[in-house]
Amino acid sequence: MKKIENLQTDVQKGLIQQEAQERLRYYGLNSIDTQANKSIFTYVKEAMKDITILILLVATGLSTYIAYQTHPDDFTEPVVIFSIVLLNLYLSIRQQKSAEKSMEQLKKMSTPTSSVLREGVVKEINSSEIVPGDIVQLTLGDRVPADAKVISCVNFFVDESFLTGESEPNEKDASYQASETDGLSDRKDLVFSGALVVTGKATILVEKTGNETEIGKISHLISNEITNVAPLQIKMQKLGKILGIVAIIAGFLAIGIGITKGLSVETSIMTAISMAVAAIPEVLPVFVTISLAVGMGNMAIKKTIVRTPSTVETVGGVSVICSDKTGTITENKMTVKKIAPLAEMPALLSFTEDQEKNLLFLFYLASSFSESEGGSNPTESAIKKAIDTRFSEKELQEHLSPLKKIKELPFDSKRKRMTDVYQIGKEYVSVTKGAFDRLQLANPNEHYLTIHDQLANQAYRVLGVAKQAGIKTIMITGDHLLTASRIAKEVGILEEGNEAITGAELKKISDRDLVKRIDRYRVFARTSPEDKIRIVKAFQENDEIVAMTGDGVNDAPALKAADVGIAMGSGTEVAKEASDMILVDDHFVTIVQAVEEGRRVYQNIRKSLYAMLGCNISALTVVLLSLLFGWGAPVTAIQLLIIKVVADGIPGFSLSVEPSEEKNMEKQPIHKNESIFSQGLAVKILEISVVFTIVTLLAIVIGRTQSVAIAETMTFIVLGLSTISHMYNCRSEQSILRLKFLGNPLLVLTTMIGALIIVLLVTIPVTQHIFGFVTIGLTNWLWVLGLSLIPVIYIEIKKWTHLF
């Protein structure tokens, strides 16, 4: 088919039907293409690349084999572990589908039918059949069906905030001459698909449809943007690989040592399985999931909806917040904050003794309110809201009853003001509302101008806490550079030594140079969706964890590209679907609360590693040393699983609700590439595992002076109780004597339950027989209780001597 070069159309008649059909075949339907939905098999295949899931599947297989060999009537353990696999698969698939939902929300912004001029007649046609060259007529309440040039218009204003980020309706002018530096919001001669007509009417010439429109390009950006893997997921994948390798090596070592020491191949293989079970922390993924779920719940209480669990931890490490001004740092709506009467009201207009209420009522009289989609323009909506707040319905009607509107001169682009004429009895009065410099005051006064300037320059400071947490706040907006810079200075974003830059200037900088220079900028004005993605990625290239906030369609691609996309509760559905978090109350400071919660969750996950891996490493070491000493395996695989569930798992889960450490928000953000074992955690884990190993070997030695069975029973008890007592070491870097004992009541309850289960298992005859335990005397009980408290005593001494 030949390319259609000339889009010129007879403005009086529009396209003929044959030409419209030809263009429809060439350009396609005026709709946004979305990716075909993936099959469940494809989602599962992609999710299976997660090493954590693979490790859990191995653990399920090993657990199933052990259950079959030792207690074929009870498969509780493998069922629980496999349930965790299914949960992780579900969460992974849910995250992948979020982009598809964003695309669907974009399609919903289209209008079903439009008034199109075809063959000299205005017809209502399906908007998907609109083609470049069509003449479309727009009136109040219509949504623009495609990107188009304004041919003619009367008092024509459209709301393009979803695309440009500006809250005020944009006035259009068919005679506007564009320049190369113009951004979308500067193009007074163009309208864009999805915009809402709030005032006036216009005739437009369609230039772009479907995927070629600005909103279509945003759809393309969203679909092409790969969802970032959360830092915690990366760290857990690395940990899973390490533990997997350790499990394999330990298993082969156990088989080799066992055969060398004269054990049978079957016994050596069973010992190898015990080693693998000891190496794999089956309950750790569960603990991480529970910690994130608790964090999600806490954030929900603070009016933050978290869409993906891993976001809870990621937001705690945020080092840069790229914030759209409109709807984020400032609300995407106008509010009457102060009323300043500058002169006494004439007696005729003194409706009440309150001069501020009188002035507000005059603003009401000089306004026009619409009930159509989108309501009135933002200024008049703010006036109406203020009236509803200060006047009762009865009081308002009493003031309106003597007034009769005679004439209305609506706001237009030339006068920049609106006038209404009223009759009050035999008197007439005109009320004019408009820009201060266009009111043509009869008695101009310098005092009036001073008050005006003071009010115009006021803003609100809200970002102090975020800066205290070591987070850089960046403003990205569609506003003019001067406007954005002024607000950025007011709220503490643009400080000495920082710079502001426009989208036009940004386009002249290469991606490589932007990465090098990005840290000097704090304000980006007149930006496009493509600019926002470049900014986010430039910070990410510098290993920053980036949060992007926004509320409009124009923010959606950057929300998806960021490590944490944060949408406003009042924002568009497109932005919400592309985001990881939604601020229900739209307050920027709520982000700070989310960061604090994220840091708490990350701290508690590290505490769980300290609690669980110390037990795992010591169990591996004890089994290997026992084999080398010729004692055989001192604990079986099922006994290790009991310890890891009862002593490690159940009490360990209570660490997920541990309160935040002191001065949590005064620390620098966690570096993106920082190991989860950084800041001395690896040394602490190895150190406590040595302590565990020593006390457990002492239990074996003491027990073997009586019998192998007693030694194995004492080994089980010491491993279990010492792991439980160690939970109190993990609560805080402070001594447990300085913490409230019931500061975490769940920990107290779960450790008591865990200890009771350990004791009952080795004392009840039925469980003794099932799990291979024997009765031990009072002296042995005193030994195991004393040995089990050594880890707590050792760490307490280090804390009090500041060696910890």
Side-chain angles (χ1 to χ4, degrees), residues 20-65:
Q21 290 298 321
E22 183 179 347
R23 296 188 183 195
L24 184 63
R25 286 193 295 271
Y26 178 78
Y27 290 104
L29 291 174
N30 179 33
S31 62
I32 299 171
D33 292 339
T34 56
Q35 296 174 331
N37 290 336
K38 299 177 183 177
S39 67
I40 189 66
F41 175 77
T42 303
Y43 281 122
V44 172
K45 183 180 177 181
E46 292 178 0
M48 291 296 290
K49 296 176 183 178
D50 188 341
I51 191 67
T52 304
I53 292 177
L54 296 178
I55 290 292
L56 284 172
L57 286 175
V58 172
T60 302
L62 291 172
S63 181
T64 302
Y65 179 80

Side-chain angles (χ1 to χ4, degrees), residues 514-519 537-544 671:
L514 182 59
V515 171
K516 294 177 181 178
R517 298 161 57 180
I518 191 70
D519 198 49
K537 290 188 173 181
F539 278 114
Q540 289 173 331
E541 284 293 317
N542 285 313
D543 293 330
E544 305 277 12
H671 195 273

